[in-house]
Amino acid sequence: MEIKVKKGKILVYRVFDIGSEIDLDKVEALFEDKKLKERFKLDRKHNMSLIISSSPVSVQLGTFEIKLVDKLVPAELIAKVWHFGTVSLCFQLPIAESTSWMDLVKTASWIEKDEEIEVFARSKAKEFQNDIRSAIPVLSDWKMNEDYVTYFIQELEGMDHPLATLSERLDIPALILAESKEMLSDSMKKGVLENVFQYSKDDLVVVDWNSALVIEPSGSMDVPLVIEFALNQLLEMRYYDDLLDQRLNTVYNEVVGRKKGLFSNKYSRLAEEASQIYLEISEIVENVENSFKTVGDFYLATIFRASSKRFRFDDWQRSINDKLGNLAEVSKLLHSEVNESRNQTMEMIILVLIAIEVIPFIFGIFKH
């Protein structure tokens, strides 16, 4: 019997950096009358494994018609606002009842190539940024963003075997990689299926770098929310990695190839700026990293760690730490240069003062 999707939805994410930080209490106040907001919540059984320093605020932005393959479908749009400066837009697209697996794979391939959602999401992110600008101290206009797709299925038709054997009957890697035409190699399939998780015999999660499959009969959104959190952290790591590149290039260009005057304060200014940038970015990066912590080996903690690994958190953190180290070293060198310059200036002043005292004395000797 062919397996089909009886009930499910496709969660299409676009994540943007919209500010230095966001006052979530102000965001709640802005939407208080509309009653379209709620705080991030997890099922009680999973609360013990996750520590959230500041729960994000979800705001319902309405329902829009989105083109999906060859027809328009109603998509509920939800914006989730995170205190460290990001907003994730989630388009919830319904999966038609009795959709075959192959049709779902074709839909995944279409979403992968579609550009309309990207354009629409970018305009909505800008619009939302303007709506909550009073809650953002410093607005951001960074052009990069993260995209992700989660295939959320509550019920399957024709599934008379345990979910653990689903990969034997369906081509899950084809869905995850949105590959409807090419026959994937065994090594590619193996790489995807290394990240399969189950909490009970009735659910299943497959996490990869650009999409995930979540089968959850209860309808709980805990797993998609945890993956979404990791996605927002990834965007912030990319943002600060790029920001550090810009800051380092600015400092290098200011220093290299320019001569300093005897009384110039250029090096002093650069040293202070480098130190300030280092402290600010270090504090913000630490804030992002500490905003969501996992405790023990509980299910959601395991999902978060798997997502972090697929998103290459370690590589991004290493890159940021290396660049922060370079910035700290540049700051130290500039301060040394400033101190050396000041010492040289003081030595010259002392020599001048000595000369002022000695020259009249020598003239006095010759006069006698």
Side-chain angles (χ1 to χ4, degrees):
M1 185 176 181
E2 184 182 7
I3 297 177
K4 297 181 179 180
V5 178
K6 186 173 183 180
K7 185 179 181 181
K9 53 188 174 183
I10 303 173
L11 310 176
V12 180
Y13 295 96
R14 292 295 185 273
V15 185
F16 301 88
D17 183 277
I18 60 173
S20 56
E21 58 183 345
I22 301 174
D23 188 327
L24 298 183
D25 291 331
K26 286 186 177 180
V27 173
E28 282 191 301
L30 288 170
F31 294 94
E32 186 174 7
D33 296 336
K34 298 181 181 180
K35 296 181 180 179
L36 297 176
K37 52 92 176 77
E38 63 178 356
R39 284 282 184 162
F40 177 95
K41 293 180 181 178
L42 294 171
D43 290 344
R44 184 176 299 176
K45 66 182 179 181
H46 294 307
N47 284 346
M48 66 184 72
S49 66
L50 303 172
I51 300 173
I52 305 169
S53 63
S54 185
S55 298
V57 176
S58 294
V59 181
Q60 297 175 13
L61 299 184
T63 301
F64 304 88
E65 285 195 329
I66 300 294
K67 185 179 180 181
L68 194 61
V69 188
D70 57 355
K71 60 183 177 179
L72 294 175
V73 299
E76 184 181 1
L77 179 57
I78 298 175
K80 195 171 280 87
V81 194
W82 311 79
H83 75 281
F84 45 73
T86 64
V87 59
S88 52
L89 300 183
C90 177
F91 297 86
Q92 298 193 2
L93 309 173
I95 300 174
E97 188 175 348
S98 297
T99 296
S100 69
W101 192 262
M102 182 52 65
D103 284 340
L104 187 60
V105 172
K106 289 178 181 178
T107 300
S109 181
W110 189 91
I111 292 174
E112 179 74 15
K113 299 171 184 176
D114 176 61
E115 296 181 358
E116 291 185 15
I117 290 180
E118 175 74 18
V119 173
F120 184 70
R122 193 171 291 278
S123 68
K124 281 298 176 182
K126 192 66 179 178
E127 184 180 310
F128 186 74
Q129 182 188 43
N130 290 330
D131 289 342
I132 66 168
R133 63 186 307 146
S134 61
I136 308 174
V138 181
L139 297 177
S140 171
D141 192 31
W142 196 48
K143 303 302 181 185
M144 303 296 292
N145 69 285
E146 282 293 340
D147 60 275
Y148 200 79
V149 182
T150 296
Y151 303 93
F152 187 85
I153 298 174
Q154 281 187 250
E155 193 174 348
L156 290 168
E157 293 180 2
M159 190 61 204
D160 51 0
H161 295 274
L163 277 182
T165 64
L166 188 65
S167 60
E168 298 174 8
R169 303 187 61 192
L170 297 176
D171 194 347
I172 293 177
L175 177 68
I176 294 293
L177 299 177
E179 188 55 75
S180 61
K181 296 181 179 179
E182 297 290 339
M183 292 292 293
L184 295 172
S185 66
D186 290 340
S187 61
M188 288 296 295
K189 290 183 178 182
K190 183 180 178 181
V192 171
L193 296 176
E194 284 176 351
N195 296 284
V196 177
F197 307 93
Q198 281 191 285
Y199 183 79
S200 69
K201 63 183 181 64
D202 296 323
D203 61 44
L204 184 77
V205 175
V206 184
V207 179
D208 204 50
W209 66 273
N210 67 331
S211 64
L213 169 64
V214 178
I215 300 177
E216 179 54 68
S218 70
S220 170
M221 296 293 289
D222 283 359
V223 170
L225 286 171
V226 168
I227 296 173
E228 184 179 0
F229 201 110
L231 194 63
N232 279 264
Q233 283 197 334
L234 170 64
L235 182 75
E236 284 302 89
M237 289 184 189
R238 289 183 58 199
Y239 173 76
Y240 286 107
D241 184 77
D242 184 61
L243 183 62
L244 279 165
D245 281 337
Q246 295 177 33
R247 294 292 189 268
L248 282 168
N249 286 335
T250 299
V251 173
Y252 291 154
N253 291 335
E254 285 281 344
V255 174
V256 176
R258 297 191 181 186
K259 296 181 180 180
K260 65 180 189 298
L262 179 61
F263 300 103
S264 172
N265 66 347
K266 182 189 71 172
Y267 278 88
S268 179
R269 175 179 59 81
L270 286 175
E272 293 302 322
E273 287 181 358
S275 298
Q276 185 178 359
I277 293 168
Y278 175 81
L279 291 174
E280 287 180 356
I281 295 182
S282 296
E283 182 180 357
I284 294 170
V285 170
E286 184 178 359
N287 183 29
V288 173
E289 292 176 351
N290 292 335
S291 60
F292 193 83
K293 291 183 177 180
T294 59
V295 180
D297 294 319
F298 296 98
Y299 186 58
L300 289 185
T302 301
I303 297 296
F304 181 77
R305 293 192 188 102
S307 302
S308 302
K309 184 177 180 181
R310 297 304 290 169
F311 295 162
R312 295 171 49 227
F313 271 23
D314 288 344
D315 291 343
W316 288 107
Q317 287 176 329
R318 192 178 302 112
S319 176
I320 289 172
N321 290 335
D322 288 345
K323 289 170 185 176
L324 280 172
N326 291 340
L327 191 57
E329 191 64 28
V330 169
S331 175
K332 188 185 300 182
L333 291 172
L334 287 173
H335 277 294
S336 298
E337 187 71 26
V338 170
N339 291 334
E340 182 182 347
S341 179
R342 287 174 179 170
N343 290 337
Q344 291 176 352
T345 302
M346 288 298 296
E347 289 174 1
M348 292 185 66
I349 291 173
I350 291 171
L351 289 174
V352 170
L353 291 175
I354 293 174
I356 292 173
E357 291 290 332
V358 172
I359 290 174
F361 177 73
I362 293 176
F363 274 119
I365 292 175
F366 283 108
K367 284 181 180 181
H368 292 290

